[in-house]
Amino acid sequence: MSRSAHPAGPRHADVLPEGHYTAPAADLNVLDEKVWSRTVRRNGDGVATVAGIEVTRLAEEFGTPAYILDEADFRARCRAWSDAFGSDADVYYAGKAFLSRAVVRWLHEEGLNLDVCSGGELATALAAGMPAERVAFHGNNKSAQEIERAVEAGVGRIVLDSFQEIVRVAHTARRLGVRQRVQIRVTVGVEAHTHEFIATAHEDQKFGIALAGGQAAEAVRRALALDSLELTGIHSHIGSQIFDMAGFEVSARRVVQLLAQIRDEHGVELPEIDLGGGLGIAYTSEDDPREPHDIAKALSDIVTRECESAGLATPRISVEPGRAIVGPTAFTLYEVGTIKPLEGLRTYVSVDGGMSDNIRTALYDAEYSVALVSRRSDAEAMLTRVVGKHCESGDIVVRDAFLPADLAPGDLIAVPATGAYCRSMASNYNHALRPPVVAVRDGAARVIVRRETEEDLLRLDVGE
Ligand SMILES: *Cc1c(COP(=O)(O)O)cnc(C)c1O
């Protein structure tokens, strides 16, 4: 690997420009197990390994950038979630976080169910042999073809998101001669992101049917009146990257109140309640996500308590973690290119990918960690911004990060916790070729989604 000298960048001891960062870790060589997937270590030579394979070998064999997915970790998280919720609840993996046929097979083998929200995700699920009855179909604007495909395939649940959709799904089911199981997605007036939740005025968004003003109760009335629909429960999803259970508490209470109202009005107790996904993960050492076991206990305690006080039998709970399962299981491996020290500011470190393989920093101001993984370094810490190679100044992968001051072109750096919403949101901006997903397990690596080629790009461009 080449090492070219470059002028030293600003050190953390110098002027610290604006930004959200904490002091650098005492030893930048330490890979915090909180943010790295389960089998990541650093070997005796200082090279990071995953499932026993050196990242330098992965880079040689598969190129960079690449998403490296720790299969054992993925499977362990699936099991942790299904064990935590036990046999009285169902875990649906939210496929939009990252979906491929291999992932569908792992989910199937580990006994999880699957959420999809488009025809493409449904096609992937079915192509990999996921039984349709274990699939739930979401979306605020499902097309007629998507509804038809889902009903025809026999999906276990369609989550109704609007008044129009109640009628559309009912008509399709009637035409196909089936009674489709459905839930109604309600907007409970709670929105939760990260460490906070807000419990007012969040009906102002595109998803679901508002509890406020009796909208949800009216949707229930209409769904119950249609023979081709079997209304099994109420669904609520309140946000993403949530650490605090308070938002779920309010959401569960409001959903249970609706169940009680349905019983009083219609004499039926709906048997299911889905509390959605959105559970947070550690992107940096500062984040403290809860364990699935704690989450399961908290949710089931809330629902049980609320049902008891409403005199209802406890319904079957389902949850839909996406990020919390796949997010921590992958990291993105990049090669360092240009390094620009900006005196008094920070050092810009360019990698061979960027916003095309991780849009979350630009889109949500997401925070990430980063580490030098191809060698150990005892150089002091320098404040950097890890940026991509795209034609946008907002093309930032890690806004504020400390890396060793002797970082050089050709070094490999890796950004952990990129399993969710990175490959699935990847783009071809600047005609970038989307990186492969390489699954590693027990000392073996295999491509589960291959790298795009220029041929792939040109195949879509019909040329006339
Ligand atoms: C996005 C989404 C999820 C998954 O969210 P995560 O933050 O990945 O856990 C679950 N349910 C619904 C309805 C969603 O839209």
Side-chain angles (χ1 to χ4, degrees), residues 165-185:
E165 204 170 86
I166 296 171
V167 177
R168 281 185 200 142
V169 173
H171 281 168
T172 307
R174 176 164 312 135
R175 189 161 43 76
L176 296 175
V178 298
R179 188 145 191 260
Q180 177 62 51
R181 270 178 290 146
V182 295
Q183 290 189 339
I184 290 175
R185 176 164 174 177

Side-chain angles (χ1 to χ4, degrees), residues 94 96 115 138 185 235 237 240 276-279 320-323 421:
K96 69 180 198 250
D115 266 5
H138 281 274
R185 176 164 174 177
H235 181 285
H237 172 73
S240 58
L279 289 315
E320 307 174 320
R323 182 194 322 269
Y421 306 107

Side-chain angles (χ1 to χ4, degrees), residues 81 92-98 115-117 138-139 159 161 185 207 235-242 274-281 283 319-327 420-421:
W81 277 88
Y92 284 76
Y93 168 76
K96 69 180 198 250
F98 173 65
D115 266 5
V116 298
C117 57
H138 281 274
V159 182
D161 202 89
R185 176 164 174 177
F207 290 112
H235 181 285
S236 161
H237 172 73
I238 55 172
S240 58
Q241 187 59 3
I242 306 166
D274 189 309
L275 294 172
L279 289 315
I281 63 166
Y283 285 103
V319 287
E320 307 174 320
R323 182 194 322 269
I325 291 178
V326 72
Y421 306 107

Side-chain angles (χ1 to χ4, degrees), residues 95-363:
K96 69 180 198 250
F98 173 65
L99 199 63
S100 77
R101 285 184 290 183
V103 162
V104 174
R105 278 192 292 271
W106 301 343
L107 294 166
H108 190 186
E109 285 164 19
E110 302 299 341
L112 265 65
N113 305 294
L114 175 62
D115 266 5
V116 298
C117 57
S118 72
E121 289 180 2
L122 179 61
T124 306
L126 298 177
M130 179 60 90
E133 64 268 20
R134 280 169 51 190
V135 175
F137 198 88
H138 281 274
N140 69 301
N141 188 22
K142 305 171 187 78
S143 72
Q145 294 92 318
E146 284 173 327
I147 291 170
E148 169 126 7
R149 183 115 188 255
V151 174
E152 216 164 32
V155 300
R157 162 189 303 179
I158 293 180
V159 182
L160 302 172
D161 202 89
S162 66
F163 284 101
Q164 282 108 335
E165 204 170 86
I166 296 171
V167 177
R168 281 185 200 142
V169 173
H171 281 168
T172 307
R174 176 164 312 135
R175 189 161 43 76
L176 296 175
V178 298
R179 188 145 191 260
Q180 177 62 51
R181 270 178 290 146
V182 295
Q183 290 189 339
I184 290 175
R185 176 164 174 177
V186 302
T187 316
V188 294
V190 165
E191 190 171 70
H193 294 293
T194 316
H195 298 278
E196 29 180 85
F197 85 97
I198 310 163
T200 51
H202 284 88
E203 278 88 26
D204 192 3
Q205 47 112 340
K206 72 172 184 171
F207 290 112
I209 300 174
L211 279 178
Q215 298 273 301
E218 176 58 21
V220 168
R221 233 165 262 140
R222 294 191 194 176
L224 285 175
L226 293 160
D227 297 337
S228 58
L229 301 182
E230 180 188 348
L231 180 62
T232 63
I234 300 297
H235 181 285
S236 161
H237 172 73
I238 55 172
S240 58
Q241 187 59 3
I242 306 166
F243 292 100
D244 183 351
M245 299 305 285
F248 285 104
E249 176 129 20
V250 175
S251 159
R253 189 177 315 130
R254 292 186 181 171
V255 168
V256 171
Q257 281 164 1
L258 177 61
L259 293 182
Q261 190 187 334
I262 294 166
R263 174 205 50 202
D264 296 346
E265 183 179 340
H266 305 281
V268 290
E269 288 196 22
L270 299 184
E272 295 172 355
I273 159 171
D274 189 309
L275 294 172
L279 289 315
I281 63 166
Y283 285 103
T284 75
S285 297
E286 288 170 84
D287 295 324
D288 283 306
R290 288 164 164 253
E291 291 299 318
H293 183 80
D294 291 346
I295 294 164
K297 179 158 187 339
L299 293 182
S300 95
D301 284 355
I302 297 166
V303 173
T304 306
R305 196 181 59 228
E306 294 299 326
C307 286
E308 262 169 24
S309 80
L312 288 164
T314 306
R316 192 173 177 83
I317 300 176
S318 51
V319 287
E320 307 174 320
R323 182 194 322 269
I325 291 178
V326 72
T329 67
F331 59 83
T332 313
L333 189 58
Y334 298 106
E335 185 178 300
V336 172
T338 312
I339 297 176
K340 277 189 199 169
L342 301 188
E343 208 47 59
L345 292 169
R346 74 185 82 234
T347 295
Y348 277 76
V349 173
S350 297
V351 293
D352 48 356
M355 66 193 297
S356 56
D357 59 70
N358 186 349
I359 191 67
R360 293 192 64 261
T361 307
L363 195 57

